[in-house]
Amino acid sequence: TGPGPGWWWPTSSHTRGQEPGDPVSRFPRCPEPSSGGSLGGFTPLAKPPPPPPLASAFTWEVKANDRTYNNQFKEKAFLCWQRRKYKGNIIHTAKYNFFSFLPLNLYEQFHRISNSYFLLIIILQGAFPEISTMPWFTLFAPLVCLLLIRAIRDLVDDIGRHKSDSTINNRPCEMLVGERFLHKKWKDLHVGDLVRLHDTNIVPADMVLLSSTEPSSLCYVETADIDGETNLKYKQALLVTHHELTTLKSMASFQGKVVCEEPNSRMHYFTGHLEWEGKKYSLDSGNILLRGCKIRNTDTCYGMVIYAGGWMGRGFDTKIMRNCGKIHLKRTKIDRLMNKLVIMICIFVVLISMALTLGFWSKVTEFKTKHYYMLRMHMHSLTTESIFILVSFVILLSVMMPMAMFITAEFIYLGNSIFIDWDVEMYYAPQDLPAKARSTSLNVQLGQVGYIFSDKTGTLTQNIMTFKKCCINGIVYSPEEENICEENPSLCNSFADQKLLFRNSKLLSIVHANKDNVVREFWRLLAICHTVMVEEKDTPLPDQLLYQAASPDEEALVTAARNYGYVFLARTQDSITVKELGEQRVYQVLALMDFNSIRKRMSVLVRNPEGSIYLYTKGADTVLFERLHKKKQIVKAATEEALTSFAEETLRTLCLAYKKVEEDQYKEWNQRHQEAKILLENRAQALHQVYEEIEQDLQLLGITAIEDRLQDGVPETIQCLKKGNIKIWVLTGDKQETAVNIGYACQLLSEDMHILDEEQIIAILGAYQETKNNLPQVEMAAMIVSGEFLVSINSGLTGVPNMKSQNESHARRWFSKGQEGAEASWGRSLRGEDQLMKSVAAPVLQNKDSNTPQSPEVWRERTFVELACRCKAVICCRVTPKQKALIVALVKKYKNAVTLAIGDGANDVNMIKTADIGVGLAGQEGMQAVQNSDYMLAQFRFLRRLLLVHGRWSYMRVCKFLRYFIYKTLAIMMVQIWFAFYSGFTSQPLYEGWFLALFNLLYTTLPVLYIGLFEQDVSDEQSLELPELYIAGQKDELFNYWVFFQAIIHGTGTSLVNFFMTLWISHDIIGPISDYQSFSTVMSLSGLLSVTMEVILIIKYWTILSVLAIFFSLCFYIVITRASQSVWLFTVSPTTFPFMSVEQNVISHPYVLLVIMLNVSLNTLPVLAFRVIYQALKQLRLKEEKEEEKAEEVGEVPIEEMAEVPRARRSSYAFSHQEGYADLITQGTIMRRSLGFS
């Protein structure tokens, strides 16, 4: 691939923004600075860049207004079958359609081992009905019910995706048909179509910008739904299309052809060219409008579709859809564990059946030897009979993996999902939005989350910037209550914005008095030093201004000055008009020195109406304090105290300073400035040096404090989740400064944390590889990295051991290139994403502790993830949607932990799909995240209740349900094995057939359902107060192999007591339990009462429902047993109802009741005693551990720590817009003029 946006070659044959050989120079995206100047230029890399790609390397050709031409391109689909290469704009993200639902869903369901196991048993029952203990349909009907429940659940989820697709595909747009723009739908678009967009419209496909009604065909877009950045970005059409495509007729006759790279997922990178009328014009990402962007502050713009949506099966062409990822089948950890346990149980059943079959073989052989005269009784050979017996035992013991458990589990999952929907504590009244569980199968995993990956914009923040406080001349002015503030700025200022809540009567009176020069210059600076554009609203109300700012920070500052009497009215190429306390003043702009991430400040040099020249500068305190006059800073100490106070309040601060410039000084400086602007090499450094000269000896005015308002309850939620051992990573496309400030605001970061930057990370990884020692303990550290760094982890750009030197050269290279070059490098680094995705998708072959050599990529990934997971917090800045998913996939690959991703925009869809659990916030960025999520919330703060209450309860309930179900099943079914030793290994069932069929369906179902739906170990309030309880789910303490083994031991013990105690008592005694049917009934009652006593012991949350559940379960047994053993049913079908009045006869004997009571007591009392003793010892051990910890704290000798450098005050300057606006202003490119058509 070739160079991205911002590349240039230092030759005199062409200028920036124009590729070599371009016959027509388009207007550059970042033009050369004129009178204002800027850091727009940069020097080439030390290593020459690769040559531009040849036209033959581009295989994507799209011709405007010519579908016939575009449809002729084909691509291979399968064998000799071909299909159209260019897809339509209709999208399909659903998994199923009308024809594929049934086969695909059945295919997915029978991937569950349990379903395949049940199907095999049904086949055996149908194939060998003479040896089956129950008819085949008794198991077939529950299996169909189970499959139907899960299929309906999947169908409902997929219908939601179809509805979402339909909503998006039917969005309106204006498409050129003939010589008119007609209202069409998104799904009607194809590549080559021309589209007209208006302000606030969402771009329907990836398009080349052809022209707009803005000056120089600029177009402003908001990309918060793509990269999370709230600041506006500008795109620009080619100069030739800007001049030529000025009427509908010219657009209808436009036959240009775009030749570019194939569709890819690199959001910030594009190369291609436009061929029109025999000439070629280069295109880059500055000319492209991406699908999902929102048009802002642009009345009308026109574009040509080059990449459209596409079908999910065939892949997507648009960049945002290629970043959305595929739908993954999500399984919980318990599901995966149960699959393994099902295999173990299947193997156990087969082995036991084979052992019992060997017993049958031995018994028959012995019988034939002793009783040779009865050989005619055996119709088949011994081998054939043994095979029949083996199959019969498999069918008989198949109930050890009861289907009722899986059916009941589905109802439990559904019920817990409904409880989430009904929770009024998670209802958001302002938007009338309740919480919603869009997936019913992941509730249990909500109680096991170890890592949360959160978006920033719209998820943690409200995306609202407010002017919160200010410090002028060392005095802090805070907002007052409305009833305290006597003066309202709007009473004496018709331009005041009523939405601004910052009101301070003392400050307002000083402003109106107009005697304090520092206060006057403070507000004047805010009204002059910016790149905001202004236009009057088209409303009947006078004096209504609409500011078009590159970032919400800038708009908040200019609006604050406007409310305090310094109203920014208009600007031209070289002037700014301000109304100061009712007096209109025009300032001549002599130079506009724009902000970038290196300078961290912005300056404007103006001449006031009186003829004096002043320099106004605003920027980060770390760079501005160094440039203050040494002798004139009386209030610097007070200002620093205010800065520290504002930083503690996590406000975004900005220092303001100014100075008067003498005429002679300006003339000398301006001459050097003009010389620096025309340099072809090292222009950025030269301009930077010139700016440094003028931005010295400043006088401090004060500081502003902007609040990036968080959503309600975010800090409290994060603190609570951190106490629950949940690690939170913030993944954002925004800049580092903004993300870090939000990290402090939401208490994800704290002042006592050590921040690991990329250089320190590289040093740690390098030292770790060289020494082979363990990674350092970094419990009180936080990691902050960029998306480019993450890709370099895989691609080898930071290869060890030369990582440190490479990183340093990398930093120098970024400084020399400036911001635009950095963006180009950013785009090129994304080429490693596909490689990283393949690496993440690949299975991990080496064990963590294995000495087997690993590839460098695997080593880097594993070590980086290990280091990151040891940190308290991780913030990843400037990451694309695909990189967000890659980060989640890396943690899933190397850490055995449950991941949860939460976001509110289309840029979060991929990581929501990739994470084990996806939570979508119904925010301002649309419903894309919600439609692809597993759970919907209205606010981030509801995540605390979703995890700590509903998640923990669901996990605890399902674990207790599974353990009890396994116990009660084995307690009943293991008796069949013991009985086989006394029945000649003939696979004769011990229990009545109806008892076997209804034991799990009726006799024990209601208590199990109560445990799964209503059981609570602590209340919801205690769950929130004690988040440490959540750790049990993360460690899989409540259900694992050991708990499963305990359930097996417990169930086996119960079966042994019931069988052998009853057998021992009835041995050689002629009485009520000496026959087979009576013995079977006593065993049934003993087993049922034993498991009922167990459920009474384990229930902690007793309500009337629990009592009724146990009562009705016993009632079901009594009523159904009496009915199935009635004389009438016996006479109707003796083979179906062979137990005539057995239970009634047996119960009538007190001797039998004593046997049953003895069995239940022996099963209950030892278990109860063991649990009481265990809890007492556990409490005693915990008490001793607490006492030891206190003793250690008292006797601990302080260890001398290394002297650390005092922590510098955290700077969180309120700048987030990109460099380049100053050039557009000073050249007049951004100024509005009359246009040729609308």
Side-chain angles (χ1 to χ4, degrees):
T1 56
W7 285 86
W8 70 287
W9 288 262
T11 63
S12 58
S13 60
H14 63 283
T15 58
R16 286 185 61 203
Q18 181 184 0
E19 297 289 350
D22 284 354
V24 178
S25 174
R26 65 177 175 88
F27 188 86
R29 187 158 59 92
C30 287
E32 294 293 337
S34 60
S35 59
S38 126
L39 257 177
F42 54 89
T43 58
L45 305 181
K47 187 176 181 179
L54 300 175
S56 59
F58 296 141
T59 58
W60 194 265
E61 299 182 13
V62 178
K63 195 171 184 179
N65 296 320
D66 195 342
R67 288 193 179 183
T68 304
Y69 176 85
N70 297 327
N71 290 338
Q72 71 178 349
F73 293 95
K74 306 292 182 180
E75 65 180 0
K76 184 178 179 180
F78 179 72
L79 296 180
C80 297
W81 181 58
Q82 291 186 331
R83 61 189 177 193
R84 290 180 180 177
K85 180 178 181 180
Y86 302 135
K87 306 172 181 65
N89 201 44
I90 185 171
I91 64 168
H92 292 272
T93 61
K95 289 174 60 178
Y96 312 110
N97 57 38
F98 181 80
F99 298 101
S100 67
F101 172 73
L102 186 60
L104 185 57
N105 189 262
L106 288 176
Y107 173 78
E108 290 176 349
Q109 293 217 47
F110 280 104
H111 265 60
R112 295 175 183 264
I113 304 298
S114 57
N115 291 343
S116 301
Y117 171 72
F118 295 139
L119 182 63
L120 175 63
I121 298 300
I122 292 172
I123 293 174
L124 292 177
Q125 286 182 328
F128 305 97
E130 65 275 6
I131 61 174
S132 177
T133 56
M134 295 292 292
W136 64 271
F137 54 81
T138 58
L139 193 59
F140 179 76
L143 179 61
V144 172
C145 179
L146 177 63
L147 296 177
L148 190 62
I149 291 173
R150 289 173 174 168
I152 292 174
R153 181 190 65 197
D154 294 338
L155 181 62
V156 170
D157 292 344
D158 210 56
I159 288 175
R161 298 189 190 99
H162 277 283
K163 289 181 178 179
S164 173
D165 292 343
S166 178
T167 301
I168 295 174
N169 290 329
N170 288 286
R171 285 176 177 173
C173 65
E174 295 183 53
M175 184 176 70
L176 182 64
V177 180
E179 294 188 0
R180 291 191 303 166
F181 279 97
L182 301 181
H183 288 279
K184 297 286 185 178
K185 298 178 180 178
W186 280 23
K187 64 182 180 181
D188 299 325
L189 294 176
H190 290 77
V191 293
D193 291 344
L194 267 61
V195 180
R196 179 166 65 185
L197 300 171
H198 302 284
D199 191 24
T200 72
N201 284 171
I202 299 176
V203 180
D206 291 353
M207 304 189 304
V208 172
L209 179 63
L210 298 177
S211 64
S212 77
T213 54
E214 293 299 304
S216 301
S217 283
L218 290 170
C219 179
Y220 300 93
V221 293
E222 180 183 286
T223 60
D225 211 16
I226 293 180
D227 56 18
E229 289 197 52
T230 58
N231 54 293
L232 298 185
K233 299 179 176 62
Y234 66 89
K235 305 292 182 178
Q236 189 172 8
L238 295 175
L239 188 63
V240 60
T241 57
H242 165 63
H243 286 310
E244 298 295 332
L245 302 182
T246 57
T247 63
L248 291 177
K249 185 176 181 179
S250 62
M251 289 211 172
S253 61
F254 177 60
Q255 292 293 308
K257 183 171 69 173
V258 173
V259 181
C260 60
E261 60 189 359
E262 291 283 330
N264 56 69
S265 61
R266 299 190 288 270
M267 300 291 297
H268 305 278
Y269 183 73
F270 177 83
T271 55
H273 61 261
L274 172 66
E275 297 180 3
W276 187 26
E277 297 179 348
K279 299 179 181 180
K280 295 182 180 181
Y281 309 90
S282 62
L283 296 170
D284 58 30
S285 60
N287 311 116
I288 304 301
L289 300 177
L290 297 182
R291 178 189 175 107
C293 294
K294 181 181 289 186
I295 305 298
R296 292 288 304 273
N297 299 342
T298 305
D299 181 63
T300 306
C301 67
Y302 302 84
M304 169 186 165
V305 177
I306 54 172
Y307 301 136
W311 289 71
M312 183 176 179
R314 294 173 53 189
F316 299 110
D317 287 345
T318 56
K319 291 182 179 291
I320 183 63
M321 296 305 296
R322 281 182 169 258
N323 275 271
C324 284
K326 296 181 179 180
I327 298 173
H328 302 278
L329 182 62
K330 296 185 178 182
R331 295 279 178 83
T332 64
K333 293 178 71 175
I334 287 184
D335 276 344
R336 293 192 290 269
L337 177 60
M338 284 303 300
N339 271 341
K340 298 176 182 178
L341 296 182
V342 167
I343 295 175
M344 292 173 58
I345 292 175
C346 292
I347 295 174
F348 173 76
V349 168
V350 172
L351 292 178
I352 290 296
S353 300
M354 293 174 64
L356 295 176
T357 302
L358 290 176
F360 170 79
W361 182 293
S362 175
K363 205 78 172 177
V364 171
T365 302
E366 180 184 353
F367 181 83
K368 287 183 177 181
T369 303
K370 291 183 179 180
H371 307 282
Y372 58 90
Y373 51 86
M374 299 184 65
L375 292 178
R376 292 183 176 271
M377 292 180 57
H378 300 276
M379 302 298 295
H380 304 284
S381 65
L382 180 58
T383 303
T384 304
E385 289 185 355
S386 297
I387 293 175
F388 285 154
I389 290 296
L390 174 64
V391 175
S392 182
F393 270 122
V394 170
I395 295 174
L396 179 65
L397 299 178
S398 65
V399 191
M400 285 192 176
M401 179 49 62
M403 188 181 299
M405 181 174 71
F406 296 95
I407 297 176
T408 307
E410 292 298 325
F411 285 105
I412 290 173
Y413 291 151
L414 178 62
N416 284 289
S417 299
I418 293 174
F419 294 153
I420 293 175
D421 299 346
W422 288 353
D423 193 344
V424 295
E425 297 294 331
M426 295 194 294
Y427 171 72
Y428 189 57
Q431 296 182 8
D432 189 26
L433 286 174
K436 182 173 180 58
R438 303 184 71 252
S439 174
T440 59
S441 60
L442 301 177
N443 300 331
V444 60
Q445 198 138 266
L446 287 173
Q448 299 177 277
V449 174
Y451 293 86
I452 293 177
F453 301 91
S454 174
D455 180 38
K456 180 187 73 69
T457 306
T459 303
L460 301 177
T461 67
Q462 300 181 31
N463 198 15
I464 299 175
M465 303 293 178
T466 56
F467 191 93
K468 192 70 174 178
K469 293 182 179 182
C470 65
C471 174
I472 307 176
N473 205 21
I475 302 175
V476 176
Y477 297 95
S478 303
E480 300 175 350
E481 300 292 337
E482 292 188 6
N483 55 353
I484 298 177
C485 186
E486 300 176 356
E487 295 187 73
N488 189 335
S490 62
L491 298 179
C492 55
N493 181 7
S494 58
F495 291 98
D497 189 344
Q498 297 293 334
K499 297 179 182 179
L500 183 68
L501 301 179
F502 179 75
R503 296 176 182 176
N504 187 290
S505 55
K506 179 181 178 182
L507 178 58
L508 198 59
S509 61
I510 297 175
V511 171
H512 289 164
N514 199 20
K515 295 180 180 179
D516 192 323
N517 182 62
V518 176
V519 173
R520 180 168 56 247
E521 295 296 342
F522 179 90
W523 293 112
R524 182 177 289 162
L525 185 151
L526 292 181
I528 292 177
C529 187
H530 55 77
T531 58
V532 177
M533 300 300 295
V534 64
E535 65 180 36
E536 293 189 5
K537 289 183 181 179
D538 188 15
T539 61
L541 298 176
D543 302 330
Q544 293 299 305
L545 300 174
L546 176 62
Y547 288 143
Q548 298 181 358
S551 70
D553 310 81
E554 288 278 74
E555 184 178 359
L557 295 173
V558 178
T559 302
R562 163 181 167 181
N563 274 34
Y564 278 80
Y566 289 78
V567 184
F568 166 58
L569 292 178
R571 79 184 322 143
T572 65
Q573 180 176 349
D574 55 2
S575 69
I576 292 180
T577 304
V578 179
K579 194 170 187 177
E580 300 180 358
L581 301 178
E583 177 186 355
Q584 186 165 313
R585 294 168 60 88
V586 179
Y587 293 86
Q588 180 187 359
V589 178
L590 303 176
L592 189 58
M593 293 160 269
D594 203 1
F595 165 89
N596 68 19
S597 58
I598 300 173
R599 283 170 40 79
K600 298 184 181 180
R601 62 189 182 276
M602 174 186 178
S603 298
V604 58
L605 192 65
V606 298
R607 188 188 301 273
N608 64 14
E610 292 76 22
S612 301
I613 300 176
Y614 284 89
L615 175 73
Y616 295 99
T617 303
K618 64 181 181 181
D621 58 284
T622 53
V623 298
L624 225 61
F625 277 9
E626 299 172 355
R627 291 161 176 81
L628 297 179
H629 196 284
K630 305 302 180 183
K631 298 181 180 179
K632 297 182 179 180
Q633 306 309 324
I634 304 176
V635 297
K636 182 179 178 181
T639 305
E640 286 183 329
E641 291 181 7
L643 271 170
T644 304
S645 174
F646 293 166
E648 291 174 354
E649 298 178 44
T650 67
L651 301 176
R652 303 175 65 176
T653 57
L654 203 62
C655 285
L656 312 182
Y658 85 116
K659 76 171 182 178
K660 185 177 181 180
V661 180
E662 299 298 333
E663 189 71 30
D664 296 339
Q665 182 185 359
Y666 164 69
K667 290 180 180 179
E668 293 178 3
W669 177 86
N670 188 47
Q671 181 178 357
R672 293 191 297 273
H673 181 215
Q674 296 299 327
E675 293 173 355
K677 288 195 301 181
I678 62 176
L679 291 177
L680 292 179
E681 295 184 1
N682 300 322
R683 178 172 43 188
Q685 288 88 339
L687 284 172
H688 182 77
Q689 184 61 38
V690 171
Y691 296 159
E692 285 282 348
E693 293 177 7
I694 195 69
E695 293 171 331
Q696 297 293 333
D697 296 331
L698 303 174
Q699 180 180 343
L700 183 64
L701 293 174
I703 53 176
T704 61
I706 297 290
E707 180 186 32
D708 190 355
R709 190 175 299 173
L710 294 172
Q711 288 190 10
D712 296 336
V714 168
E716 295 81 4
T717 300
I718 290 179
Q719 285 297 103
C720 188
L721 294 176
K722 287 168 69 176
K723 291 180 181 178
N725 195 36
I726 300 176
K727 295 187 177 181
I728 301 175
W729 294 22
V730 175
L731 314 180
T732 177
D734 216 337
K735 293 181 174 61
Q736 177 175 329
E737 293 79 8
T738 307
V740 171
N741 189 63
I742 293 300
Y744 282 104
C746 65
Q747 298 182 15
L748 180 65
L749 305 178
S750 59
E751 296 293 343
D752 58 347
M753 280 186 180
H754 177 69
I755 305 299
L756 294 178
D757 57 20
E758 295 177 1
E759 290 188 3
Q760 292 173 320
I761 295 170
I762 289 173
I764 292 174
L765 298 184
Y768 172 63
Q769 189 191 34
E770 291 177 0
T771 60
K772 302 298 183 182
N773 293 328
N774 294 327
L775 283 171
Q777 298 297 325
V778 288
E779 283 79 6
M780 287 307 297
M783 180 181 291
I784 300 175
V785 295
S786 65
E788 184 180 26
F789 179 80
L790 293 171
V791 174
S792 70
I793 289 294
N794 177 265
S795 61
L797 296 179
T798 54
V800 182
N802 297 322
M803 288 192 297
K804 186 172 181 180
S805 60
Q806 289 187 14
N807 192 70
E808 291 174 353
S809 62
H810 175 74
R812 290 195 299 270
R813 187 165 67 247
W814 272 55
F815 178 83
S816 64
K817 287 191 300 185
Q819 182 69 11
E820 183 182 356
E823 291 177 356
S825 178
W826 158 266
R828 291 190 302 278
S829 70
L830 296 182
R831 301 172 194 170
E833 284 184 357
D834 295 335
Q835 179 185 356
L836 182 56
M837 177 60 83
K838 293 178 183 178
S839 172
V840 169
V844 183
L845 300 179
Q846 291 89 358
N847 193 322
K848 183 175 181 181
D849 299 325
S850 175
N851 294 324
T852 305
Q854 300 177 354
S855 66
E857 292 79 9
V858 172
W859 179 87
R860 276 192 296 270
E861 289 175 4
R862 185 191 298 279
T863 310
F864 171 76
V865 172
E866 184 66 29
L867 179 62
C869 292
R870 293 188 181 189
C871 295
K872 284 289 185 181
V874 177
I875 296 179
C876 301
C877 315
R878 298 287 293 162
V879 288
T880 65
K882 191 171 184 178
Q883 286 174 338
K884 290 184 178 183
L886 295 176
I887 296 167
V888 178
L890 275 176
V891 175
K892 288 176 63 178
K893 179 179 179 181
Y894 295 109
K895 307 298 286 187
N896 183 27
V898 177
T899 57
L900 181 147
I902 180 170
D904 70 323
N907 58 319
D908 306 314
V909 169
N910 202 346
M911 76 168 179
I912 285 175
K913 290 179 179 179
T914 305
D916 296 311
I917 303 172
V919 179
L921 294 188
Q924 301 175 354
E925 298 183 17
M927 299 293 287
Q928 294 95 328
V930 170
Q931 295 296 345
N932 290 276
S933 67
D934 305 305
Y935 297 90
M936 183 193 79
L937 298 176
Q939 293 278 286
F940 181 86
R941 70 175 185 270
F942 297 145
L943 188 62
R944 172 173 59 171
R945 186 171 181 86
L946 180 69
L947 298 183
L948 300 186
V949 178
H950 292 283
R952 203 184 67 82
W953 277 353
S954 295
Y955 172 72
M956 179 268 301
R957 291 165 178 169
V958 170
C959 291
K960 185 174 287 189
F961 152 76
L962 290 174
R963 192 232 182 259
Y964 174 71
F965 215 108
I966 293 171
Y967 156 75
K968 74 183 183 69
T969 301
L970 291 175
I972 294 297
M973 291 311 302
M974 288 295 288
V975 175
Q976 294 283 172
I977 298 176
W978 319 137
F979 181 67
F981 287 89
Y982 295 88
S983 62
F985 301 100
T986 56
S987 71
Q988 178 184 0
L990 171 62
Y991 300 108
E992 180 190 9
W994 290 104
F995 177 82
L996 282 177
L998 299 176
F999 174 75
N1000 283 323
L1001 291 179
L1002 282 179
Y1003 301 159
T1004 57
T1005 298
L1006 293 181
V1008 163
L1009 274 176
Y1010 177 85
I1011 289 176
L1013 293 175
F1014 303 105
E1015 174 69 343
Q1016 299 178 16
D1017 52 351
V1018 294
S1019 64
D1020 55 344
E1021 292 86 0
Q1022 291 175 316
S1023 296
L1024 296 174
E1025 293 172 358
L1026 300 171
E1028 295 82 5
L1029 298 174
Y1030 190 83
I1031 300 176
Q1034 297 172 336
K1035 296 181 178 180
D1036 302 325
E1037 292 181 356
L1038 301 186
F1039 191 77
N1040 48 44
Y1041 287 110
W1042 173 239
V1043 173
F1044 175 71
F1045 182 71
Q1046 288 178 338
I1048 291 177
I1049 298 298
H1050 191 187
T1052 303
T1054 300
S1055 67
L1056 287 170
V1057 169
N1058 287 337
F1059 182 80
F1060 287 102
M1061 284 300 298
T1062 306
L1063 185 65
W1064 175 66
I1065 293 174
S1066 62
H1067 186 63
D1068 294 335
I1069 296 178
I1070 299 176
I1073 54 175
S1074 58
D1075 64 289
Y1076 159 70
Q1077 290 187 345
S1078 299
F1079 185 83
S1080 172
T1081 302
V1082 172
M1083 291 301 303
S1084 301
L1085 264 174
S1086 298
L1088 179 62
L1089 293 178
S1090 295
V1091 299
T1092 302
M1093 285 301 299
E1094 173 65 14
V1095 83
I1096 292 174
L1097 292 178
I1098 66 176
I1099 290 178
K1100 294 184 178 181
Y1101 184 62
W1102 281 91
T1103 63
I1104 187 63
L1105 289 177
S1106 57
V1107 176
L1108 292 177
I1110 296 173
F1111 174 75
F1112 280 114
S1113 294
L1114 297 176
C1115 288
F1116 285 148
Y1117 172 78
I1118 295 172
V1119 172
I1120 293 176
T1121 301
R1122 291 293 176 92
S1124 65
Q1125 297 182 5
S1126 64
V1127 177
W1128 178 74
L1129 287 178
F1130 177 78
T1131 56
V1132 172
S1133 179
T1135 56
T1136 308
F1137 304 97
F1139 283 58
M1140 184 182 67
S1141 303
V1142 175
E1143 188 263 348
Q1144 187 175 357
N1145 294 333
V1146 169
I1147 295 299
S1148 61
H1149 295 276
Y1151 166 74
V1152 174
L1153 294 178
L1154 287 174
V1155 172
I1156 295 173
M1157 289 178 60
L1158 177 63
N1159 289 340
V1160 175
S1161 300
L1162 289 176
N1163 285 322
T1164 304
L1165 294 178
V1167 174
L1168 179 62
F1170 172 79
R1171 289 174 179 170
V1172 171
I1173 295 172
Y1174 176 78
Q1175 289 296 328
L1177 294 176
K1178 185 178 180 180
Q1179 294 296 329
L1180 181 62
R1181 186 173 67 253
L1182 291 175
K1183 185 177 180 180
E1184 291 177 353
E1185 289 178 356
K1186 290 182 179 179
E1187 292 178 353
E1188 290 177 359
E1189 290 177 359
K1190 291 181 179 179
E1192 290 177 359
E1193 292 177 359
V1194 172
E1196 185 176 357
V1197 179
I1199 300 176
E1200 184 178 355
E1201 299 181 354
M1202 287 195 313
E1204 296 185 358
V1205 179
R1207 192 180 186 90
R1209 180 180 60 253
R1210 177 169 47 85
S1211 176
S1212 52
Y1213 55 91
F1215 262 121
S1216 64
H1217 68 273
Q1218 63 182 2
E1219 179 190 359
Y1221 277 68
D1223 290 341
L1224 299 178
I1225 292 171
T1226 54
Q1227 289 202 351
T1229 308
I1230 204 169
M1231 302 304 158
R1232 185 176 297 278
R1233 295 186 291 267
S1234 60
L1235 302 170
F1237 73 98
S1238 64

